[in-house]
Amino acid sequence: MLVLALDTATPAVTAGVVDLTEDGARLLAQRVTVNAKAHGELLTPHLAEALAEAGHALSDLDAVVCGSGPGPFTGLRVGLVTAAALGQVLNRPVYPVPTPDAIALDARTGAPLLVATDARRKEVYWAAYDAAGRRTDGPHVDRPADVPAKLPAVAHAAGEGARIYADVLGLPVVDAVYPSPTSLVAAAAEELLAKARPAALTPLYLRRPDAVEPTGRKRVTR
């Protein structure tokens, strides 16, 4: 099964082509650029280049997997809208994957784990995982100092937020910062191989956007 994996929930603009079989997920090609302001400019070129390197066309794809966050509004919607458009045009299923789930699989600690990504505003998006990489809590958004009191017992931490706030979280940080294409596909492998109906492609924003509709006309005279 040929799967296109996308993620824009972190500063990494990620696109990759993965061959999925019963034996596991094998990376054929990927393009990853860490630039929090370039998701819109880079994602489509990245996926086109990854497909070309893998020797495939969009029509060869069997499915699309996309990181569903949590992540900042502007970046996250780029990946989800791109994935939704490809699914509609190609008539292929699109499977959402919570981005921390993929990072947890990349970490491969074999022990309970915290995944924390940067939520900006001096906050982190976080989720907890058991030794097998299954999510046991979250995702949530909190100030780093508030996370330890809410966190189940874990042995390590992963993700960009864990690196930035390592001194606050007080956990050893493993080398898994952003989700890889293989981990995104692996997180959805059971559904993909079973050809299950995908869940709704719903972004995990976890907080309201800064921009809101005006509630009334501003008075300009005294």
Side-chain angles (χ1 to χ4, degrees):
M1 174 176 277
L2 193 69
V3 185
L4 176 67
L6 308 174
D7 190 277
T8 56
T10 74
V13 187
T14 299
V17 182
V18 177
D19 179 31
L20 178 66
T21 68
E22 295 285 353
D23 295 326
R26 181 172 64 93
L27 181 67
L28 301 181
Q30 68 175 345
R31 291 291 185 276
V32 180
T33 299
V34 179
N35 187 333
K37 298 181 179 180
H39 295 98
E41 292 80 6
L42 294 180
L43 185 61
T44 298
H46 275 15
L47 71 88
E49 291 168 9
L51 279 164
E53 182 179 324
H56 287 284
L58 283 170
S59 57
D60 296 330
L61 295 172
D62 296 301
V64 178
V65 167
C66 184
S68 58
F73 180 83
T74 302
L76 179 54
R77 67 179 177 176
V78 170
L80 290 167
V81 168
T82 301
L86 288 172
Q88 185 172 16
V89 169
L90 300 171
N91 192 27
R92 301 292 192 273
V94 181
Y95 293 84
V97 169
T99 300
D101 291 5
I103 297 173
L105 291 178
D106 279 327
R108 296 188 185 94
T109 62
L113 174 75
L114 164 70
V115 173
T117 60
D118 184 16
R120 304 176 187 173
R121 305 182 192 173
K122 298 183 179 180
E123 293 180 327
V124 292
Y125 299 116
W126 67 272
Y129 296 82
D130 64 17
R134 294 182 294 256
R135 182 158 27 100
T136 59
D137 197 0
H140 307 287
V141 59
D142 282 299
R143 294 181 303 173
D146 294 336
V147 173
K150 301 178 180 181
L151 188 64
V154 296
H156 303 88
E160 184 186 33
R163 283 191 171 185
I164 295 171
Y165 299 105
D167 56 335
V168 178
L169 297 171
L171 291 166
V173 180
V174 300
D175 189 21
V177 183
Y178 306 117
S180 69
T182 48
S183 67
L184 288 161
V185 172
E190 186 175 343
E191 296 172 275
L192 285 161
L193 292 170
K195 298 183 179 178
R197 184 183 181 89
L201 202 61
T202 303
L204 298 172
Y205 292 131
L206 300 192
R207 61 189 180 198
R208 297 176 64 85
D210 292 330
V212 295
E213 286 189 39
T215 56
R217 294 186 178 183
K218 179 185 282 188
R219 185 175 178 177
V220 296
T221 59
R222 294 183 178 180

